[in-house]
Amino acid sequence: MPDDAAPRDPAEPDDASAAEEASAFSHPPVEPDATAAYGDHPDQVIDFYAPREADPAEPAAGAAPLVVVLHGGAWRAPYDRRHITPFADFLARRGFAVANVEYRRGSLIPSQADGTEGTGGGTGPVAGRWPDTFDDVASALDALPALVREVLPQADPRRTVITGHSAGGHLALWAAARHVLPPDAPWRTDRPAPLRGVVALAPIADFHIADKLEVCGGAAAQLLGGPSVFAERRPYADPALLLPTGIATTLVQGRTDIVVPQAVAESYAEAAAKAGEVVGLTLLEDVGHFPLIDPAADACAVVAEEIAQLAW
């Protein structure tokens, strides 16, 4: 948040969260250096940001690490990749090459063509599309190396870190766990993704806890198609059930986050520990949900440092 912002009043967490959200969304979108499609749907695109040189006369030696960004917004249609472009630009100005991935999200009226109940009413935006949202993230990651070679030669895909915020944090964890999906999952890979690591920002990382806490209005259950198929589809979608991955993973979480509470990240970290995997958990005092992607907030610099520790 800006330096002159009023300090947070612990007695008014809703007001503080609203102020943090307003600050994060106050930045104008930043146009990418290039955009490439990984499919035929209009949402199947990736925006690329070249690393910015602090001194163009003295370019950095070698190719830059690649950061793959997956935006949040509860997997719902009103929130697209545009809102996270200032964060992508922030990372590019820190010397990273950035790939900002778009994917299909929920529509305003739930489709029940597959026999699931959606939201049951169709009066508001639905969280995600089953299986389209997962199809897209898998396809984007599979297409990324070739697209990077074509449109972003400044990037070194051998040093790739995935990051994502909120629902995008879930997708980042999921994308890194495809090799441990059930054998019949269409997105399963036969080996771990060639990643340096994952930095998940306030991720919806444990669907059981998220559903229990009604995170984002029950978005996790909506993403999977509704309560009637929630338990059946969780093993294919819930990062807390897809462990261990063997890939270095760090969660960054604000302690005052009321959108995706700290308990969700802690539950994932506990599940990882039980599976024999150590997951980093960085907890930030007096930080809510949105400063993690707000270039005006100190928390955003912390996120960049966590990424740098894995990438460089």
Side-chain angles (χ1 to χ4, degrees):
M1 297 176 65
D3 293 338
D4 60 352
R8 182 182 66 84
D9 182 353
E12 297 180 344
D14 291 337
D15 291 344
S17 180
E20 289 177 340
E21 181 176 4
S23 178
F25 281 80
S26 68
H27 310 286
V30 180
E31 294 299 321
D33 296 302
T35 299
Y38 63 87
D40 296 330
H41 192 278
D43 285 336
Q44 293 174 326
V45 295
I46 304 173
D47 287 341
F48 292 96
Y49 295 80
R52 316 304 190 207
E53 304 289 357
D55 183 355
E58 297 183 8
L66 176 67
V67 181
V68 181
V69 174
L70 291 159
H71 71 81
W75 310 284
R76 291 185 170 122
Y79 300 93
D80 63 17
R81 70 192 186 283
R82 297 281 289 175
H83 79 268
I84 209 168
T85 59
F87 174 71
D89 178 67
F90 177 85
L91 294 177
R93 288 186 282 110
R94 290 293 184 110
F96 298 106
V98 181
N100 186 19
V101 177
E102 190 58 278
Y103 52 89
R104 283 175 287 180
R105 305 167 309 286
S107 58
L108 293 179
I109 300 176
S111 171
Q112 300 185 38
D114 64 353
T116 59
E117 68 263 34
T119 60
T123 58
V126 183
R129 302 186 195 183
W130 179 275
D132 301 8
T133 299
F134 297 92
D135 288 345
D136 285 0
V137 173
S139 295
L141 270 294
D142 291 344
L144 192 61
L147 293 178
V148 167
R149 288 193 295 270
E150 179 182 348
V151 303
L152 196 64
Q154 303 95 324
D156 181 357
R158 297 169 300 177
R159 291 186 290 164
T160 298
V161 174
I162 299 183
T163 190
H165 178 240
S166 195
H170 156 264
L171 294 173
L173 294 169
W174 180 85
R178 290 170 59 196
H179 60 292
V180 294
L181 283 167
D184 62 338
W187 314 291
R188 182 182 168 96
T189 57
D190 59 4
R191 59 178 60 89
L195 300 172
R196 285 289 181 91
V198 180
V199 179
L201 314 177
I204 305 179
D206 185 314
F207 278 13
H208 173 70
I209 299 300
D211 191 57
K212 183 178 179 180
L213 297 177
E214 298 184 346
V215 169
C216 298
Q222 290 180 22
L223 173 67
L224 301 192
S228 70
V229 292
F230 182 66
E232 173 189 341
R233 291 176 175 173
R234 264 190 73 205
Y236 299 86
D238 187 349
L241 300 181
L242 300 173
L243 292 161
T245 68
I247 294 173
T249 300
T250 296
L251 313 186
V252 183
Q253 176 74 41
R255 286 189 178 274
T256 59
D257 191 335
I258 63 172
V259 179
V260 182
Q262 178 179 328
V264 179
E266 289 178 332
S267 182
Y268 176 85
E270 290 171 5
K274 290 178 181 178
E277 188 160 79
V278 177
V279 167
L281 178 57
T282 300
L283 299 174
L284 303 180
E285 300 290 342
D286 297 319
V287 170
H289 192 63
F290 293 98
L292 303 177
I293 59 165
D294 182 356
D298 292 341
C300 201
V302 174
V303 169
E305 181 58 32
E306 294 284 0
I307 295 171
Q309 288 181 17
L310 294 175
W312 291 101

